[in-house]
């Protein structure tokens, strides 16, 4: 069979509404699975909930482990602002292809699949390629986590996460741990506050303590410092009552070496004098590969002509499925984040992707597959 045009395939994928929530990735996953199966890939579907379908497609598998390419099928919602384009019709304007997921990241999946289908006849005998196309990435990497936790991932020797990077190869990203912090008080009539215990006043002290929090770690040579941000605050029911509950959510972005369970304990210890409870609500590990890794050097070499010179070691700001997949593949696997979408257009109104970049991604991915498999 001939490989599909990656631009046409992106448009076909955009037509599936996979907005998360609710996601409902099954139909789109089956479409991709059928394409891959007809080219000789072994395809397995895994659902972490009804219609929340990830797929693993593998070809080859002799001697060293295959190279893994991954992407997520779900997208974020359209947002409150009105779109000037149809978000599902694959409208084009010059080089731009519009739609929810055009950048993040149906173009990345299409480029991966197009490269794999094109090379399929040459991949059967060597180490081969495994594609992991996940559901539920946008809310806590649910699909990838399920694959790792259930030990459904076999093996891989390197991972390409085809998230939007405008084809610049990034060697990692920070981890992300979100916490919900609560203070409790005793309610009373607002005219007699001395009879109550004010949960908002307690929370003010909590926020003051967090403001002075220092992560017990040196700055990372590429990622820089870990960060902490108080993102939301809620408390009190009406002006004339003493509030008996207040709640904040806190977003931390971590660097390798920070254990999120340990971080939760540190925050709990810091806030214990204010009787605040700390609960971790979202947890995605950091991802990092040493820029001295031999395969990373090869990726840089392949990407150089497409990004105007040899890439420098950089990390990207958003987090990805890569960390969970790396864990699922046993840990010691180099990974790179590299895909055709425009990072600044992810999650935006009137999201679009350059069709030229999609073609360039196919060239890059095909070259990486060839080199890995000597095909
Ligand atoms: Zn994404």
């Amino acid at each position: 069979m001939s490989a599909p045009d990656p631009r046409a395939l992106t448009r076909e994928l955009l037509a599936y509404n996979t907005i998360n929530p609710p996601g409902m990735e099954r139909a789109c996953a089956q479409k991709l699975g059928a394409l891959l199966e007809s080219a000789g890939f072994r395809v397995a579907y895994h659902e972490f909930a009804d219609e929340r379908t990830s797929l693993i497609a593998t070809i080859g598998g002799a001697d060293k482990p295959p190279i893994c390419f991954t992407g997520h099928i779900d997208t974020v919602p359209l947002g409150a602002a009105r779109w000037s384009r149809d978000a599902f019709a694959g409208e084009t304007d010059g080089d731009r292809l519009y739609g929810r997921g055009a950048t993040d990241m149906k173009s990345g999946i299409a480029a991966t699949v197009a490269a794999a289908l094109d090379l399929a006849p040459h991949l059967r005998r060597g180490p081969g390629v495994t594609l992991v196309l996940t559901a539920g990435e946008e809310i806590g990497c649910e699909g990838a986590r399920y694959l790792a936790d259930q030990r459904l991932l076999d093996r891989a020797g390197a991972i390409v996460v085809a998230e939007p990077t405008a084809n610049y190869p990034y060697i990692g990203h920070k981890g992300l741990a979100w916490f919900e912090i609560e203070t409790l008080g005793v309610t009373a009539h607002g005219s007699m506050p001395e009879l109550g215990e004010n949960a908002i006043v307690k929370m003010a002290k909590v926020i003051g303590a967090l403001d002075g929090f220092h992560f017990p770690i040196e700055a990372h040579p590429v990622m820089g410092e870990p960060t902490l941000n108080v993102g939301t605050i809620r408390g009190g029911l009406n002006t004339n009552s003493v509030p008996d509950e207040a709640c904040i959510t806190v977003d931390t972005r971590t660097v390798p070496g920070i254990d999120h369970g340990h971080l939760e304990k540190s925050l709990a210890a810091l806030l214990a004098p204010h009787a605040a409870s700390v609960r971790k609500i979202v947890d995605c590990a950091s991802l990092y590969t040493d820029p001295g890794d031999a395969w990373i050097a090869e990726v840089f070499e392949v990407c150089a002509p497409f990004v105007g010179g040899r890439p420098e070691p950089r990390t990207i700001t958003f987090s990805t499925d890569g960390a969970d997949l790396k864990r699922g593949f046993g840990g010691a696997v180099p990974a790179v984040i590299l895909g055709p979408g425009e990072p600044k257009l992810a999650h935006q109104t009137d999201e679009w992707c350059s069709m030229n970049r999609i073609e360039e991604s196919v060239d890059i991915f095909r070259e990486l597959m060839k080199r890995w498999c000597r095909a």
Side-chain angles (χ1 to χ4, degrees), residues 72 104 137-138 163:
H72 61 85
D104 186 12
E137 188 271 349
E138 294 288 2
E163 289 270 12

Coordinates of all heavy atoms in Angstrom, one line a residue, residues 72 104 137-138 163, ligand 1:
H72 N -0.6 12.0 21.4 CA -1.9 11.8 22.1 C -3.0 12.2 21.1 O -2.9 13.1 20.3 CB -2.0 12.6 23.4 CG -1.9 14.1 23.3 ND1 -2.9 14.9 23.0 CD2 -0.8 14.9 23.4 CE1 -2.5 16.1 23.0 NE2 -1.2 16.2 23.2
D104 N -1.6 20.6 18.3 CA -1.4 19.8 19.5 C -2.5 18.7 19.5 O -3.5 18.9 20.1 CB -1.5 20.7 20.7 CG -1.3 20.0 22.0 OD1 -0.8 18.8 22.0 OD2 -1.6 20.6 23.1
E137 N -4.3 12.4 27.3 CA -3.1 13.1 27.8 C -3.4 14.4 28.5 O -2.7 14.8 29.4 CB -2.2 13.3 26.6 CG -0.8 13.8 26.9 CD -0.6 15.3 27.0 OE1 -1.5 16.0 26.6 OE2 0.4 15.8 27.5
E138 N -4.4 15.1 27.9 CA -4.6 16.5 28.3 C -5.0 16.7 29.8 O -4.8 17.8 30.4 CB -5.5 17.2 27.4 CG -5.0 17.4 26.0 CD -3.9 18.4 25.8 OE1 -3.5 19.0 26.8 OE2 -3.5 18.7 24.7
E163 N 5.0 16.0 20.1 CA 4.3 17.2 20.6 C 4.8 18.4 19.8 O 5.9 18.4 19.2 CB 4.5 17.4 22.1 CG 3.8 16.4 23.0 CD 2.4 16.8 23.4 OE1 1.9 17.8 22.8 OE2 1.9 16.2 24.3
Ligands
LIG1 ZN1 -0.1 18.0 23.5

